[in-house]
Amino acid sequence: MILILFILALVLAWPTGGLSVLAWIGWIAWQLHKGREAHKHSETLTALLEPVFKGEYAEFAAGLELPYHSHITTDDIIKGNSRTEKDLHQIGRLIMKYLANNPCEAYAFINTLKRHGVDESGEMEAPWEVLQWEFYEKRSHGRLKWVGYRAVEALMPHNSLPAFHSVDLAGVSEMVTEMQALWQVDDKRGP
């Protein structure tokens, strides 16, 4: 894209008296500024989210109970060979970084934690604890799981990391659609 615009600016340089080259330089400067602003915003959200996770990325990823790919056998799951602690940590950390780069998703995540993840002392609980509460206390797939699944659904097509080899993307997408329908019905019903 940059090269094509540069060639176009050079072709138009003579008829425009060099203004096209100046416009191209201005466009590059604007793109760099936009990138720096996005990076600053991402760093700010990362600084906000890291203490929320309390370093327990693997616990959060395990709490999502992501569907297994069909090539994973029941034996592998029982023996714990399908997802290592390192894989789960990486998945959880990638979800946190995804949230840091997607402010709307980060807002939904933190808003859900604030709504359901504050203990008696007023301290925010770890996200994996809220996942447990959503599933075992409410007996449903909650909004926190929905945000986590949407993050995994967005991350998997762009990552060929070994951590995702055991995850079934089609199953994740199916669950996102199912949970989306559930929340739309609940939102229409009201509180």
Side-chain angles (χ1 to χ4, degrees):
M1 176 74 173
I2 292 173
L3 183 62
I4 292 171
L5 289 176
F6 178 69
I7 291 169
L8 184 63
L10 285 178
V11 169
L12 295 174
W14 185 258
T16 62
L19 288 177
S20 61
V21 174
L22 289 175
W24 180 80
I25 292 169
W27 180 78
I28 292 293
W30 180 65
Q31 291 294 322
L32 289 172
H33 174 71
K34 252 177 41 176
R36 272 190 295 253
E37 288 298 314
H39 183 70
K40 275 192 232 173
H41 193 69
S42 173
E43 284 180 347
T44 303
L45 278 173
T46 299
L48 174 74
L49 288 166
E50 280 184 332
V52 169
F53 275 88
K54 301 176 184 179
E56 299 171 330
Y57 303 109
E59 290 84 352
F60 178 71
L64 286 174
E65 298 176 345
L66 296 165
Y68 286 93
H69 200 279
S70 60
H71 73 272
I72 303 296
T73 66
T74 307
D75 231 14
D76 289 334
I77 297 168
I78 293 170
K79 290 178 183 173
N81 297 336
S82 55
R83 291 189 185 138
T84 66
E85 186 77 15
K86 182 181 170 190
D87 289 344
L88 290 170
H89 181 84
Q90 188 173 31
I91 290 170
R93 181 99 175 126
L94 284 168
I95 290 171
M96 190 274 301
K97 292 302 270 179
Y98 170 82
L99 295 172
N101 286 297
N102 294 281
C104 290
E105 295 285 8
Y107 175 76
F109 183 82
I110 291 172
N111 203 24
T112 301
L113 281 178
K114 282 182 179 177
R115 202 171 323 126
H116 303 295
V118 179
D119 63 15
E120 296 82 34
S121 67
E123 189 175 318
M124 195 175 289
E125 294 178 357
W128 67 269
E129 293 172 314
V130 177
L131 282 173
Q132 283 185 330
W133 174 82
E134 284 180 342
F135 189 72
Y136 295 110
E137 299 297 322
K138 284 183 64 184
R139 298 281 185 222
S140 71
H141 299 295
R143 291 184 187 263
L144 197 63
K145 189 168 191 168
W146 183 36
V147 172
Y149 268 59
R150 286 194 321 230
V152 171
E153 184 181 39
L155 288 166
M156 279 189 68
H158 307 290
N159 284 295
S160 59
L161 298 170
F164 287 118
H165 286 311
S166 68
V167 180
D168 179 22
L169 178 57
V172 169
S173 296
E174 188 178 307
M175 286 295 294
V176 167
T177 303
E178 194 176 296
M179 288 186 266
Q180 174 105 24
L182 172 74
W183 293 119
Q184 286 175 344
V185 168
D186 280 357
D187 288 344
K188 286 179 185 174
R189 242 188 262 152

